[in-house]
């Protein structure tokens, strides 16, 4: 993987911020976009902007072909059995809410259990909280080990015959830890539960095979994997999707509309009401082409290398606490940390003055912050365009931050 050549594909990286060359270390929040994706979206609006599925004219046919072609690219990308199992959504949040609102309401009742973990993003907590309130089900949390990893024995104890849904993120947006989804799914299925996976932080970084994982639902977003914002994917096993009712109604998803009742289109369109996210899907398709050209195995290997380098370099800074597993091969390129006596927002502000973009706050994971016994953390997240030199600049910036606040106070 030639990182220098990869970087050339990202126009936004070629700029100074606050008088310094930009060091972008916030890809877990959103990745930057390569020129191929930008051009694909631009071409749609410039050359064949039209609605899909509805028209027989040339522009409409071309747009439909590109839109449905993107669905096939997604299918191959995650190794789904059929494009009928690929639903385009606004993002991971919408996808998870769809599962909770459609599958959950139809299949859960009082006394049933939903199992999640303390590390989940809010979008994989709140839909299940609401579902529990609506159905009388109990929301349970799978314990974590001291380094933030999951022990499968804990999973076997927490997931019971009463459990109907297990929902776990594939990769933590805070700890960077890669969770054993295939093994947890096997435990869930043994108990008669379905397995839901938040793949927002895994789909950009590693090969995904939903049939090998044997998950029932898998959700991810385009904007974290070099695609545009506002587009995401819900994968669901056909056997589940066929039985589920839509949660949005209107044009595009209907078969027949009568005065008092209506019927729905077949999969996947019954879950895509209204004009779909056409440009977003086309952009996501271009992003998948781009990632496939680089190779997901190369991407994950690059991130393991960066994580190992960052853990080594950052560990030399006195007063810096790093959260999550210390072994680079157990995580993707996400390093979350705190500096003694310096608020994470202050750390991020000083780094920003050096042209270094990191995240600070609770990262939409307040239960995890409580589990870590902190109010907030700082986070540096790496991707295909980052280098060891970027990490060197981060370390220099952190040393400068420490010196600044030591002198001030």
């Amino acid at each position: 993987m030639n990182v220098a050549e990869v970087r050339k594909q990202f126009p936004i990286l070629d700029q100074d911020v606050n008088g310094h060359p930009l060091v972008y270390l916030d890809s877990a929040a959103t990745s930057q976009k390569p020129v191929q994706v930008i051009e694909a979206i631009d071409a749609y609006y410039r050359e064949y902007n039209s609605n899909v599925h509805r028209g027989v004219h040339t522009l409409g046919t071309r747009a439909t072909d590109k839109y449905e072609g993107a669905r096939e690219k997604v299918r191959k990308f995650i190794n789904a059995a059929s494009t009928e199992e690929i639903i385009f959504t606004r993002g991971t949040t919408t996808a998870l809410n769809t599962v909770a609102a459609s599958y959950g309401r139809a299949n859960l009742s009082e006394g049933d259990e939903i199992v999640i973990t303390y590390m989940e993003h809010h979008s994989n907590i709140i839909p299940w909280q609401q579902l529990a309130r609506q159905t009388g089900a109990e929301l349970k949390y799978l314990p974590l080990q001291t380094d933030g990893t999951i022990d499968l024995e804990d999973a076997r104890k927490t997931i019971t015959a009463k459990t109907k849904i297990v929902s776990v993120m594939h990769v933590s947006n805070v700890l960077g830890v890669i969770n054993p989804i295939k093994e947890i799914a096997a435990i869930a299925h043994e108990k008669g539960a379905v397995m839901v996976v938040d793949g927002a932080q895994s789909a950009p970084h590693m090969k995904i095979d939903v049939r090998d994982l044997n998950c029932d639902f898998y959700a991810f977003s385009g904007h974290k994997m070099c695609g545009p914002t506002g587009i995401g994917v819900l994968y669901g096993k056909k056997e589940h999707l066929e039985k589920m009712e839509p949660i949005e109604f209107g044009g595009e998803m209907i078969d027949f509309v009568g005065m008092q009742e209506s019927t729905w289109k077949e999969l996947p369109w019954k879950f895509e009401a209204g004009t779909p996210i056409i440009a977003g899907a086309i952009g996501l398709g271009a992003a998948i082409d781009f990632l496939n050209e680089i190779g997901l195995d190369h991407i994950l290997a690059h991130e393991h290398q960066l994580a190992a380098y960052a853990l080594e370099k950052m560990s030399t800074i006195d007063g810096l606490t790093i959260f999550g597993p210390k072994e680079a091969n157990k995580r993707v390129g996400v390093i979350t940390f705190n500096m003694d006596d310096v608020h994470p927002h202050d750390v991020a502000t000083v780094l920003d003055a050096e042209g270094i973009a990191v995240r600070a706050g609770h990262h939409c994971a307040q239960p995890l912050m409580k589990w870590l016994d902190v109010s907030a953390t700082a986070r540096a997240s790496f991707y295909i365009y980052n280098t060891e030199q970027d990490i060197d600049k981060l370390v220099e910036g952190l040393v400068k931050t420490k010196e600044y606040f030591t002198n001030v106070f």
Side-chain angles (χ1 to χ4, degrees):
M1 178 174 165
N2 189 326
V3 182
E5 290 301 314
V6 170
R7 285 180 63 88
K8 293 178 182 178
Q9 309 305 311
F10 293 84
I12 198 171
L13 299 178
D14 187 22
Q15 64 171 301
D16 287 351
V17 172
N18 296 321
H20 300 272
L22 171 63
V23 177
Y24 186 76
L25 302 178
D26 196 20
S27 293
T30 194
S31 68
Q32 296 303 339
K33 320 306 174 193
V35 67
Q36 293 91 330
V37 171
I38 297 169
E39 289 176 348
I41 297 169
D42 182 71
Y44 165 70
Y45 284 121
R46 286 181 182 273
E47 299 172 14
Y48 58 100
N49 176 48
S50 179
N51 217 320
V52 296
H53 302 143
R54 304 175 186 179
V56 296
H57 56 75
T58 299
L59 294 187
T61 300
R62 187 176 174 189
T64 299
D65 289 346
K66 289 286 189 179
Y67 179 75
E68 292 301 333
R71 197 189 307 274
E72 171 61 14
K73 291 177 182 180
V74 172
R75 185 202 68 76
K76 289 182 179 178
F77 187 71
I78 63 173
N79 195 32
S82 166
T83 52
E84 294 175 300
E85 298 179 323
I86 304 300
I87 313 297
F88 283 128
T89 70
R90 288 195 304 110
T92 306
T93 299
T94 302
L96 293 170
N97 273 271
T98 298
V99 178
S102 182
Y103 180 89
R105 289 181 190 175
N107 290 280
L108 270 71
S109 58
E110 188 172 356
D112 291 335
E113 298 172 348
I114 307 162
V115 173
I116 61 175
T117 77
Y118 291 106
M119 73 176 75
E120 302 307 316
H121 189 280
H122 293 165
S123 60
N124 202 30
I125 297 176
I126 301 170
W128 309 120
Q129 289 178 341
Q130 295 300 107
L131 179 61
R133 289 180 56 190
Q134 293 158 0
T135 63
E138 178 187 358
L139 182 61
K140 296 170 60 178
Y141 285 79
L142 179 61
L144 302 178
Q145 300 300 296
T146 54
D147 63 352
T149 58
I150 293 173
D151 186 286
L152 293 177
E153 283 305 310
D154 287 333
R156 292 186 180 94
K157 293 175 183 177
T158 307
I159 301 168
T160 74
K162 294 182 179 180
T163 305
K164 295 295 184 288
I165 294 175
V166 178
S167 190
V168 178
M169 61 193 339
H170 199 169
V171 169
S172 170
N173 69 311
V174 176
L175 303 172
V177 61
I178 303 171
N179 288 320
I181 293 299
K182 184 176 180 178
E183 293 78 7
I184 297 172
I187 295 169
H189 292 151
E190 286 173 8
K191 300 296 185 180
V194 298
M195 184 73 201
V196 183
V197 183
D198 173 356
Q201 298 293 341
S202 52
H205 307 288
M206 62 186 70
K207 280 186 177 178
I208 303 301
D209 186 333
V210 292
R211 284 189 277 182
D212 181 62
L213 293 173
N214 198 19
C215 55
D216 297 276
F217 300 96
Y218 193 98
F220 61 98
S221 298
H223 74 96
K224 296 181 189 293
M225 50 184 288
C226 297
T229 56
I231 184 71
V233 172
L234 171 62
Y235 158 81
K237 287 183 178 178
K238 186 178 178 181
E239 62 196 74
H240 298 314
L241 294 175
E242 285 185 327
K243 298 174 183 177
M244 289 164 54
E245 286 292 304
I247 61 171
E248 286 190 313
F249 305 90
E252 192 70 18
M253 53 77 65
I254 52 88
D255 179 28
F256 172 80
V257 176
M259 297 298 291
Q260 300 296 330
E261 60 184 25
S262 302
T263 58
W264 321 134
K265 274 186 180 177
E266 65 273 19
L267 292 172
W269 303 293
K270 76 173 184 178
F271 290 103
E272 296 179 7
T275 296
I277 311 159
I278 305 167
I282 292 168
L284 175 57
I288 288 173
D289 289 341
F290 177 75
L291 295 178
N292 283 336
E293 184 176 347
I294 296 172
L296 274 297
D297 288 341
H298 293 148
I299 292 171
L300 184 58
H302 177 64
E303 291 195 32
H304 281 161
Q305 178 183 343
L306 290 179
Y309 188 78
L311 288 168
E312 176 188 355
K313 294 295 183 179
M314 293 172 69
S315 296
T316 63
I317 303 174
D318 290 336
L320 197 75
T321 300
I322 297 174
F323 301 99
K326 300 301 187 287
E327 301 88 350
N329 63 351
K330 290 185 178 181
R331 58 160 79 218
V332 298
V334 173
I335 308 290
T336 297
F337 59 93
N338 271 347
M339 183 175 287
D340 288 352
D341 302 320
V342 184
H343 194 279
H345 288 161
D346 293 328
V347 172
T349 299
V350 175
L351 291 177
D352 181 58
E354 299 294 315
I356 305 166
V358 301
R359 197 76 161 181
H362 55 63
H363 314 290
C364 294
Q366 291 184 47
L368 180 58
M369 294 297 108
K370 183 178 180 181
W371 184 82
L372 292 171
D373 196 26
V374 296
S375 61
T377 62
R379 181 187 71 192
S381 50
F382 320 123
Y383 203 24
I384 49 180
Y385 34 68
N386 290 120
T387 64
E388 291 183 355
Q389 289 71 32
D390 290 337
I391 294 169
D392 290 339
K393 292 179 181 178
L394 169 64
V395 171
E396 292 171 7
L398 290 172
V399 170
K400 185 173 291 188
T401 302
K402 181 179 175 64
E403 292 173 348
Y404 174 79
F405 282 97
T406 299
N407 292 332
V408 169
F409 298 105

